[in-house]
Amino acid sequence: MKIILKTLLLLASFSVTACDSEASDSVPAHGLQTSYTRIDSCRETVDNANAAFSLLDCGKVGEHQVHITVQSPTVFTVRLKDDGTEAMSEFEELSGDLPLETGPAIEWYSEGENLRFMVFRLRWGTDEAPFQMDERLVISLVSADRICPLATVGVKSNRNANEKARQLIQNQLLATSECPKDVLSI
């Protein structure tokens, strides 16, 4: 498992920075601050070369401790811990039991110390072609007990996918405070 994780992290890594999230120098037009957690700078906490899973310590974003759990190529969970509460990502709602590949960094949007959104680049296939993976930016709402997907932006079908994701947050998702029944797909 550690070999799979190291391979995924190597493929996903583009730059190395400190474990703690770093703030952006600019504030987006919608008034939210952005910060980033680089996956390749997270520290493995499972001290067993034969472990079937990994637990990564990724430092903090604001007041929240960031941990990532990786088990097989299908389970990748981002966990935020703060003062006895824990919120976990729900990527399996989108990818099901299909193999999942992750991007190099998590982009966080916050209002002061209040995390609002998480944007993460993920790839997964279909039941018919599980390894023909489509790359998407997944925009998730961060609440006290959940990190649930709100929208996905296809990277191949949207030339400026990063900008499209930022526009979606600003123009459509900013007022969102609850997890939706259906995830918007652009």
Side-chain angles (χ1 to χ4, degrees), residues 75-116:
V75 178
F76 188 94
T77 305
V78 177
R79 298 170 182 259
L80 293 174
K81 292 182 180 184
D82 180 27
D83 294 332
T85 63
E86 182 177 37
M88 297 182 350
S89 62
E90 301 173 0
F91 299 131
E92 66 279 355
E93 276 190 33
L94 303 171
S95 63
D97 291 330
L98 296 167
L100 188 68
E101 292 181 356
T102 62
I106 300 170
E107 185 174 25
W108 303 99
Y109 289 85
S110 60
E111 290 176 321
E113 295 298 318
N114 184 27
L115 288 178
R116 293 286 316 279

mmCIF file of all heavy atoms in Angstrom, residues 75-116:
data_model
loop_
_atom_site.group_PDB
_atom_site.id
_atom_site.type_symbol
_atom_site.label_atom_id
_atom_site.label_comp_id
_atom_site.label_asym_id
_atom_site.label_seq_id
_atom_site.Cartn_x
_atom_site.Cartn_y
_atom_site.Cartn_z
ATOM 1 N N VAL A 75 -10.156 4.540 -1.859
ATOM 2 C CA VAL A 75 -10.552 5.298 -0.673
ATOM 3 C C VAL A 75 -9.522 6.383 -0.394
ATOM 4 O O VAL A 75 -8.350 6.099 -0.162
ATOM 5 C CB VAL A 75 -10.698 4.376 0.559
ATOM 6 C CG1 VAL A 75 -11.069 5.187 1.788
ATOM 7 C CG2 VAL A 75 -11.725 3.292 0.293
ATOM 8 N N PHE A 76 -9.971 7.623 -0.430
ATOM 9 C CA PHE A 76 -9.136 8.786 -0.141
ATOM 10 C C PHE A 76 -10.037 9.759 0.614
ATOM 11 O O PHE A 76 -10.975 10.314 0.038
ATOM 12 C CB PHE A 76 -8.628 9.413 -1.439
ATOM 13 C CG PHE A 76 -7.601 10.494 -1.225
ATOM 14 C CD1 PHE A 76 -6.249 10.207 -1.261
ATOM 15 C CD2 PHE A 76 -7.997 11.800 -0.974
ATOM 16 C CE1 PHE A 76 -5.295 11.194 -1.060
ATOM 17 C CE2 PHE A 76 -7.059 12.801 -0.768
ATOM 18 C CZ PHE A 76 -5.711 12.487 -0.811
ATOM 19 N N THR A 77 -9.788 9.936 1.897
ATOM 20 C CA THR A 77 -10.671 10.749 2.725
ATOM 21 C C THR A 77 -9.894 11.885 3.371
ATOM 22 O O THR A 77 -8.870 11.657 4.019
ATOM 23 C CB THR A 77 -11.317 9.889 3.833
ATOM 24 O OG1 THR A 77 -11.977 8.778 3.231
ATOM 25 C CG2 THR A 77 -12.327 10.700 4.629
ATOM 26 N N VAL A 78 -10.385 13.108 3.189
ATOM 27 C CA VAL A 78 -9.836 14.285 3.850
ATOM 28 C C VAL A 78 -10.634 14.475 5.133
ATOM 29 O O VAL A 78 -11.866 14.470 5.113
ATOM 30 C CB VAL A 78 -9.950 15.535 2.953
ATOM 31 C CG1 VAL A 78 -9.434 16.765 3.686
ATOM 32 C CG2 VAL A 78 -9.215 15.329 1.638
ATOM 33 N N ARG A 79 -9.913 14.636 6.246
ATOM 34 C CA ARG A 79 -10.561 14.812 7.551
ATOM 35 C C ARG A 79 -10.105 16.130 8.170
ATOM 36 O O ARG A 79 -8.912 16.409 8.225
ATOM 37 C CB ARG A 79 -10.181 13.675 8.494
ATOM 38 C CG ARG A 79 -10.621 12.319 8.030
ATOM 39 C CD ARG A 79 -9.995 11.228 8.902
ATOM 40 N NE ARG A 79 -10.366 9.928 8.430
ATOM 41 C CZ ARG A 79 -11.318 9.170 8.966
ATOM 42 N NH1 ARG A 79 -11.983 9.606 9.998
ATOM 43 N NH2 ARG A 79 -11.591 7.993 8.458
ATOM 44 N N LEU A 80 -11.062 16.898 8.653
ATOM 45 C CA LEU A 80 -10.775 18.136 9.374
ATOM 46 C C LEU A 80 -11.171 17.936 10.829
ATOM 47 O O LEU A 80 -12.303 17.520 11.107
ATOM 48 C CB LEU A 80 -11.575 19.303 8.799
ATOM 49 C CG LEU A 80 -11.226 19.757 7.398
ATOM 50 C CD1 LEU A 80 -12.203 20.829 6.930
ATOM 51 C CD2 LEU A 80 -9.806 20.294 7.359
ATOM 52 N N LYS A 81 -10.255 18.230 11.737
ATOM 53 C CA LYS A 81 -10.547 18.108 13.167
ATOM 54 C C LYS A 81 -10.352 19.473 13.810
ATOM 55 O O LYS A 81 -9.372 20.155 13.541
ATOM 56 C CB LYS A 81 -9.622 17.086 13.820
ATOM 57 C CG LYS A 81 -9.866 15.673 13.365
ATOM 58 C CD LYS A 81 -8.966 14.711 14.088
ATOM 59 C CE LYS A 81 -9.226 13.303 13.606
ATOM 60 N NZ LYS A 81 -8.450 12.311 14.352
ATOM 61 N N ASP A 82 -11.317 19.821 14.686
ATOM 62 C CA ASP A 82 -11.250 21.106 15.367
ATOM 63 C C ASP A 82 -12.081 21.022 16.643
ATOM 64 O O ASP A 82 -13.284 20.760 16.573
ATOM 65 C CB ASP A 82 -11.780 22.209 14.465
ATOM 66 C CG ASP A 82 -11.737 23.577 15.102
ATOM 67 O OD1 ASP A 82 -10.896 23.811 15.981
ATOM 68 O OD2 ASP A 82 -12.566 24.418 14.724
ATOM 69 N N ASP A 83 -11.472 21.214 17.780
ATOM 70 C CA ASP A 83 -12.179 21.267 19.068
ATOM 71 C C ASP A 83 -13.189 20.138 19.253
ATOM 72 O O ASP A 83 -14.351 20.374 19.575
ATOM 73 C CB ASP A 83 -12.891 22.616 19.228
ATOM 74 C CG ASP A 83 -11.917 23.766 19.331
ATOM 75 O OD1 ASP A 83 -10.786 23.545 19.810
ATOM 76 O OD2 ASP A 83 -12.285 24.887 18.934
ATOM 77 N N GLY A 84 -12.772 18.901 19.008
ATOM 78 C CA GLY A 84 -13.640 17.755 19.255
ATOM 79 C C GLY A 84 -14.603 17.410 18.134
ATOM 80 O O GLY A 84 -15.319 16.428 18.223
ATOM 81 N N THR A 85 -14.668 18.202 17.082
ATOM 82 C CA THR A 85 -15.532 17.871 15.947
ATOM 83 C C THR A 85 -14.669 17.376 14.798
ATOM 84 O O THR A 85 -13.487 17.715 14.696
ATOM 85 C CB THR A 85 -16.370 19.080 15.479
ATOM 86 O OG1 THR A 85 -15.485 20.108 15.024
ATOM 87 C CG2 THR A 85 -17.258 19.606 16.592
ATOM 88 N N GLU A 86 -15.290 16.579 13.940
ATOM 89 C CA GLU A 86 -14.576 16.060 12.776
ATOM 90 C C GLU A 86 -15.508 16.070 11.573
ATOM 91 O O GLU A 86 -16.654 15.626 11.652
ATOM 92 C CB GLU A 86 -14.078 14.640 13.034
ATOM 93 C CG GLU A 86 -13.290 14.077 11.874
ATOM 94 C CD GLU A 86 -12.732 12.695 12.157
ATOM 95 O OE1 GLU A 86 -13.406 11.890 12.827
ATOM 96 O OE2 GLU A 86 -11.608 12.433 11.697
ATOM 97 N N ALA A 87 -14.999 16.574 10.467
ATOM 98 C CA ALA A 87 -15.728 16.556 9.188
ATOM 99 C C ALA A 87 -14.901 15.739 8.208
ATOM 100 O O ALA A 87 -13.673 15.852 8.182
ATOM 101 C CB ALA A 87 -15.922 17.979 8.667
ATOM 102 N N MET A 88 -15.576 14.907 7.411
ATOM 103 C CA MET A 88 -14.877 14.038 6.466
ATOM 104 C C MET A 88 -15.419 14.254 5.060
ATOM 105 O O MET A 88 -16.615 14.482 4.857
ATOM 106 C CB MET A 88 -15.058 12.572 6.851
ATOM 107 C CG MET A 88 -14.464 12.254 8.192
ATOM 108 S SD MET A 88 -14.563 10.517 8.739
ATOM 109 C CE MET A 88 -15.598 9.701 7.640
ATOM 110 N N SER A 89 -14.517 14.157 4.071
ATOM 111 C CA SER A 89 -14.923 14.289 2.663
ATOM 112 C C SER A 89 -15.756 13.094 2.248
ATOM 113 O O SER A 89 -15.698 12.026 2.861
ATOM 114 C CB SER A 89 -13.685 14.415 1.771
ATOM 115 O OG SER A 89 -12.890 13.244 1.866
ATOM 116 N N GLU A 90 -16.536 13.290 1.189
ATOM 117 C CA GLU A 90 -17.454 12.266 0.701
ATOM 118 C C GLU A 90 -17.237 12.028 -0.792
ATOM 119 O O GLU A 90 -18.167 12.047 -1.586
ATOM 120 C CB GLU A 90 -18.893 12.693 0.993
ATOM 121 C CG GLU A 90 -19.148 12.911 2.472
ATOM 122 C CD GLU A 90 -20.517 13.499 2.789
ATOM 123 O OE1 GLU A 90 -21.323 13.751 1.862
ATOM 124 O OE2 GLU A 90 -20.781 13.716 3.993
ATOM 125 N N PHE A 91 -15.995 11.784 -1.176
ATOM 126 C CA PHE A 91 -15.675 11.573 -2.590
ATOM 127 C C PHE A 91 -16.332 10.323 -3.156
ATOM 128 O O PHE A 91 -16.637 10.253 -4.346
ATOM 129 C CB PHE A 91 -14.165 11.493 -2.812
ATOM 130 C CG PHE A 91 -13.426 12.735 -2.406
ATOM 131 C CD1 PHE A 91 -12.303 12.653 -1.613
ATOM 132 C CD2 PHE A 91 -13.847 13.993 -2.814
ATOM 133 C CE1 PHE A 91 -11.604 13.789 -1.241
ATOM 134 C CE2 PHE A 91 -13.163 15.142 -2.446
ATOM 135 C CZ PHE A 91 -12.042 15.028 -1.656
ATOM 136 N N GLU A 92 -16.564 9.307 -2.296
ATOM 137 C CA GLU A 92 -17.167 8.068 -2.782
ATOM 138 C C GLU A 92 -18.576 8.284 -3.328
ATOM 139 O O GLU A 92 -19.063 7.471 -4.109
ATOM 140 C CB GLU A 92 -17.159 6.985 -1.693
ATOM 141 C CG GLU A 92 -18.032 7.273 -0.494
ATOM 142 C CD GLU A 92 -17.413 8.215 0.535
ATOM 143 O OE1 GLU A 92 -16.234 8.610 0.399
ATOM 144 O OE2 GLU A 92 -18.120 8.579 1.492
ATOM 145 N N GLU A 93 -19.231 9.389 -2.951
ATOM 146 C CA GLU A 93 -20.526 9.732 -3.551
ATOM 147 C C GLU A 93 -20.383 9.916 -5.059
ATOM 148 O O GLU A 93 -21.306 9.654 -5.820
ATOM 149 C CB GLU A 93 -21.082 11.024 -2.955
ATOM 150 C CG GLU A 93 -21.818 10.858 -1.671
ATOM 151 C CD GLU A 93 -22.538 12.131 -1.291
ATOM 152 O OE1 GLU A 93 -22.990 12.884 -2.177
ATOM 153 O OE2 GLU A 93 -22.655 12.368 -0.074
ATOM 154 N N LEU A 94 -19.222 10.376 -5.478
ATOM 155 C CA LEU A 94 -18.981 10.647 -6.893
ATOM 156 C C LEU A 94 -18.336 9.455 -7.601
ATOM 157 O O LEU A 94 -18.731 9.099 -8.704
ATOM 158 C CB LEU A 94 -18.063 11.867 -7.032
ATOM 159 C CG LEU A 94 -18.557 13.151 -6.384
ATOM 160 C CD1 LEU A 94 -17.475 14.199 -6.409
ATOM 161 C CD2 LEU A 94 -19.803 13.643 -7.082
ATOM 162 N N SER A 95 -17.343 8.857 -6.988
ATOM 163 C CA SER A 95 -16.555 7.821 -7.659
ATOM 164 C C SER A 95 -16.997 6.400 -7.325
ATOM 165 O O SER A 95 -16.576 5.457 -7.994
ATOM 166 C CB SER A 95 -15.069 7.976 -7.295
ATOM 167 O OG SER A 95 -14.880 7.783 -5.905
ATOM 168 N N GLY A 96 -17.829 6.226 -6.315
ATOM 169 C CA GLY A 96 -18.266 4.890 -5.927
ATOM 170 C C GLY A 96 -17.085 4.037 -5.518
ATOM 171 O O GLY A 96 -16.225 4.461 -4.757
ATOM 172 N N ASP A 97 -17.022 2.810 -6.060
ATOM 173 C CA ASP A 97 -15.921 1.896 -5.755
ATOM 174 C C ASP A 97 -14.833 1.929 -6.819
ATOM 175 O O ASP A 97 -14.003 1.026 -6.887
ATOM 176 C CB ASP A 97 -16.457 0.460 -5.631
ATOM 177 C CG ASP A 97 -17.327 0.300 -4.400
ATOM 178 O OD1 ASP A 97 -17.085 1.017 -3.407
ATOM 179 O OD2 ASP A 97 -18.247 -0.536 -4.421
ATOM 180 N N LEU A 98 -14.848 2.936 -7.677
ATOM 181 C CA LEU A 98 -13.871 3.026 -8.755
ATOM 182 C C LEU A 98 -12.535 3.552 -8.249
ATOM 183 O O LEU A 98 -12.490 4.313 -7.273
ATOM 184 C CB LEU A 98 -14.399 3.956 -9.857
ATOM 185 C CG LEU A 98 -15.654 3.463 -10.566
ATOM 186 C CD1 LEU A 98 -16.257 4.576 -11.396
ATOM 187 C CD2 LEU A 98 -15.324 2.261 -11.439
ATOM 188 N N PRO A 99 -11.433 3.166 -8.894
ATOM 189 C CA PRO A 99 -10.128 3.722 -8.516
ATOM 190 C C PRO A 99 -10.151 5.248 -8.627
ATOM 191 O O PRO A 99 -10.787 5.815 -9.516
ATOM 192 C CB PRO A 99 -9.172 3.117 -9.547
ATOM 193 C CG PRO A 99 -9.866 1.907 -10.042
ATOM 194 C CD PRO A 99 -11.334 2.207 -9.981
ATOM 195 N N LEU A 100 -9.448 5.882 -7.718
ATOM 196 C CA LEU A 100 -9.453 7.331 -7.608
ATOM 197 C C LEU A 100 -8.018 7.830 -7.615
ATOM 198 O O LEU A 100 -7.173 7.303 -6.906
ATOM 199 C CB LEU A 100 -10.127 7.698 -6.288
ATOM 200 C CG LEU A 100 -10.442 9.129 -5.966
ATOM 201 C CD1 LEU A 100 -11.529 9.651 -6.895
ATOM 202 C CD2 LEU A 100 -10.926 9.229 -4.525
ATOM 203 N N GLU A 101 -7.732 8.827 -8.434
ATOM 204 C CA GLU A 101 -6.420 9.474 -8.436
ATOM 205 C C GLU A 101 -6.610 10.910 -7.986
ATOM 206 O O GLU A 101 -7.579 11.562 -8.359
ATOM 207 C CB GLU A 101 -5.795 9.435 -9.832
ATOM 208 C CG GLU A 101 -5.411 8.053 -10.281
ATOM 209 C CD GLU A 101 -4.776 8.030 -11.668
ATOM 210 O OE1 GLU A 101 -4.709 9.101 -12.327
ATOM 211 O OE2 GLU A 101 -4.357 6.953 -12.087
ATOM 212 N N THR A 102 -5.662 11.389 -7.204
ATOM 213 C CA THR A 102 -5.801 12.708 -6.613
ATOM 214 C C THR A 102 -4.811 13.700 -7.198
ATOM 215 O O THR A 102 -3.774 13.320 -7.721
ATOM 216 C CB THR A 102 -5.578 12.627 -5.095
ATOM 217 O OG1 THR A 102 -4.250 12.180 -4.851
ATOM 218 C CG2 THR A 102 -6.575 11.681 -4.448
ATOM 219 N N GLY A 103 -5.149 14.954 -7.056
ATOM 220 C CA GLY A 103 -4.283 16.034 -7.497
ATOM 221 C C GLY A 103 -3.253 16.388 -6.446
ATOM 222 O O GLY A 103 -3.210 15.792 -5.364
ATOM 223 N N PRO A 104 -2.411 17.384 -6.730
ATOM 224 C CA PRO A 104 -1.293 17.714 -5.851
ATOM 225 C C PRO A 104 -1.636 18.593 -4.653
ATOM 226 O O PRO A 104 -0.877 18.652 -3.698
ATOM 227 C CB PRO A 104 -0.334 18.447 -6.777
ATOM 228 C CG PRO A 104 -1.224 19.075 -7.795
ATOM 229 C CD PRO A 104 -2.348 18.097 -7.996
ATOM 230 N N ALA A 105 -2.785 19.287 -4.689
ATOM 231 C CA ALA A 105 -3.073 20.234 -3.609
ATOM 232 C C ALA A 105 -4.570 20.389 -3.406
ATOM 233 O O ALA A 105 -5.364 20.240 -4.337
ATOM 234 C CB ALA A 105 -2.461 21.597 -3.927
ATOM 235 N N ILE A 106 -4.930 20.706 -2.173
ATOM 236 C CA ILE A 106 -6.305 21.048 -1.831
ATOM 237 C C ILE A 106 -6.366 22.566 -1.730
ATOM 238 O O ILE A 106 -5.523 23.185 -1.073
ATOM 239 C CB ILE A 106 -6.722 20.414 -0.498
ATOM 240 C CG1 ILE A 106 -6.620 18.895 -0.568
ATOM 241 C CG2 ILE A 106 -8.145 20.849 -0.130
ATOM 242 C CD1 ILE A 106 -6.783 18.202 0.778
ATOM 243 N N GLU A 107 -7.345 23.161 -2.374
ATOM 244 C CA GLU A 107 -7.554 24.607 -2.291
ATOM 245 C C GLU A 107 -8.710 24.854 -1.323
ATOM 246 O O GLU A 107 -9.788 24.288 -1.494
ATOM 247 C CB GLU A 107 -7.880 25.162 -3.681
ATOM 248 C CG GLU A 107 -8.005 26.654 -3.726
ATOM 249 C CD GLU A 107 -8.174 27.170 -5.156
ATOM 250 O OE1 GLU A 107 -8.652 26.422 -6.029
ATOM 251 O OE2 GLU A 107 -7.836 28.342 -5.384
ATOM 252 N N TRP A 108 -8.453 25.674 -0.309
ATOM 253 C CA TRP A 108 -9.450 25.978 0.716
ATOM 254 C C TRP A 108 -9.939 27.411 0.543
ATOM 255 O O TRP A 108 -9.148 28.306 0.272
ATOM 256 C CB TRP A 108 -8.846 25.833 2.106
ATOM 257 C CG TRP A 108 -8.266 24.502 2.406
ATOM 258 C CD1 TRP A 108 -6.951 24.140 2.349
ATOM 259 C CD2 TRP A 108 -8.973 23.333 2.828
ATOM 260 N NE1 TRP A 108 -6.801 22.832 2.703
ATOM 261 C CE2 TRP A 108 -8.026 22.306 3.007
ATOM 262 C CE3 TRP A 108 -10.322 23.052 3.063
ATOM 263 C CZ2 TRP A 108 -8.389 21.023 3.423
ATOM 264 C CZ3 TRP A 108 -10.675 21.779 3.476
ATOM 265 C CH2 TRP A 108 -9.719 20.787 3.648
ATOM 266 N N TYR A 109 -11.227 27.631 0.761
ATOM 267 C CA TYR A 109 -11.811 28.968 0.772
ATOM 268 C C TYR A 109 -12.415 29.193 2.149
ATOM 269 O O TYR A 109 -13.177 28.363 2.642
ATOM 270 C CB TYR A 109 -12.908 29.106 -0.289
ATOM 271 C CG TYR A 109 -12.370 29.135 -1.688
ATOM 272 C CD1 TYR A 109 -12.114 27.956 -2.388
ATOM 273 C CD2 TYR A 109 -12.110 30.344 -2.322
ATOM 274 C CE1 TYR A 109 -11.616 27.985 -3.680
ATOM 275 C CE2 TYR A 109 -11.606 30.381 -3.613
ATOM 276 C CZ TYR A 109 -11.364 29.197 -4.285
ATOM 277 O OH TYR A 109 -10.867 29.233 -5.552
ATOM 278 N N SER A 110 -12.077 30.325 2.770
ATOM 279 C CA SER A 110 -12.576 30.593 4.110
ATOM 280 C C SER A 110 -12.987 32.046 4.265
ATOM 281 O O SER A 110 -12.555 32.917 3.511
ATOM 282 C CB SER A 110 -11.501 30.247 5.157
ATOM 283 O OG SER A 110 -10.339 31.029 4.934
ATOM 284 N N GLU A 111 -13.847 32.257 5.270
ATOM 285 C CA GLU A 111 -14.212 33.596 5.726
ATOM 286 C C GLU A 111 -13.643 33.691 7.138
ATOM 287 O O GLU A 111 -14.181 33.077 8.055
ATOM 288 C CB GLU A 111 -15.722 33.773 5.753
ATOM 289 C CG GLU A 111 -16.353 33.821 4.401
ATOM 290 C CD GLU A 111 -17.876 33.893 4.455
ATOM 291 O OE1 GLU A 111 -18.492 33.227 5.305
ATOM 292 O OE2 GLU A 111 -18.428 34.615 3.613
ATOM 293 N N GLY A 112 -12.548 34.404 7.286
ATOM 294 C CA GLY A 112 -11.863 34.435 8.575
ATOM 295 C C GLY A 112 -11.389 33.040 8.922
ATOM 296 O O GLY A 112 -10.726 32.384 8.130
ATOM 297 N N GLU A 113 -11.752 32.532 10.103
ATOM 298 C CA GLU A 113 -11.380 31.186 10.524
ATOM 299 C C GLU A 113 -12.392 30.138 10.076
ATOM 300 O O GLU A 113 -12.208 28.952 10.306
ATOM 301 C CB GLU A 113 -11.222 31.134 12.053
ATOM 302 C CG GLU A 113 -10.077 31.974 12.577
ATOM 303 C CD GLU A 113 -8.728 31.506 12.045
ATOM 304 O OE1 GLU A 113 -8.486 30.288 11.977
ATOM 305 O OE2 GLU A 113 -7.923 32.384 11.684
ATOM 306 N N ASN A 114 -13.481 30.566 9.462
ATOM 307 C CA ASN A 114 -14.558 29.668 9.056
ATOM 308 C C ASN A 114 -14.303 29.116 7.654
ATOM 309 O O ASN A 114 -14.440 29.836 6.664
ATOM 310 C CB ASN A 114 -15.899 30.423 9.102
ATOM 311 C CG ASN A 114 -17.074 29.539 8.787
ATOM 312 O OD1 ASN A 114 -17.033 28.327 8.998
ATOM 313 N ND2 ASN A 114 -18.123 30.152 8.279
ATOM 314 N N LEU A 115 -13.923 27.835 7.569
ATOM 315 C CA LEU A 115 -13.752 27.203 6.253
ATOM 316 C C LEU A 115 -15.100 27.062 5.582
ATOM 317 O O LEU A 115 -16.064 26.624 6.197
ATOM 318 C CB LEU A 115 -13.105 25.824 6.399
ATOM 319 C CG LEU A 115 -11.646 25.790 6.776
ATOM 320 C CD1 LEU A 115 -11.174 24.354 6.930
ATOM 321 C CD2 LEU A 115 -10.797 26.493 5.743
ATOM 322 N N ARG A 116 -15.179 27.403 4.301
ATOM 323 C CA ARG A 116 -16.443 27.325 3.560
ATOM 324 C C ARG A 116 -16.417 26.270 2.465
ATOM 325 O O ARG A 116 -17.364 25.517 2.302
ATOM 326 C CB ARG A 116 -16.760 28.687 2.916
ATOM 327 C CG ARG A 116 -17.072 29.811 3.876
ATOM 328 C CD ARG A 116 -18.444 29.690 4.508
ATOM 329 N NE ARG A 116 -19.512 29.338 3.594
ATOM 330 C CZ ARG A 116 -20.168 30.171 2.776
ATOM 331 N NH1 ARG A 116 -19.870 31.441 2.755
ATOM 332 N NH2 ARG A 116 -21.121 29.732 1.988
#
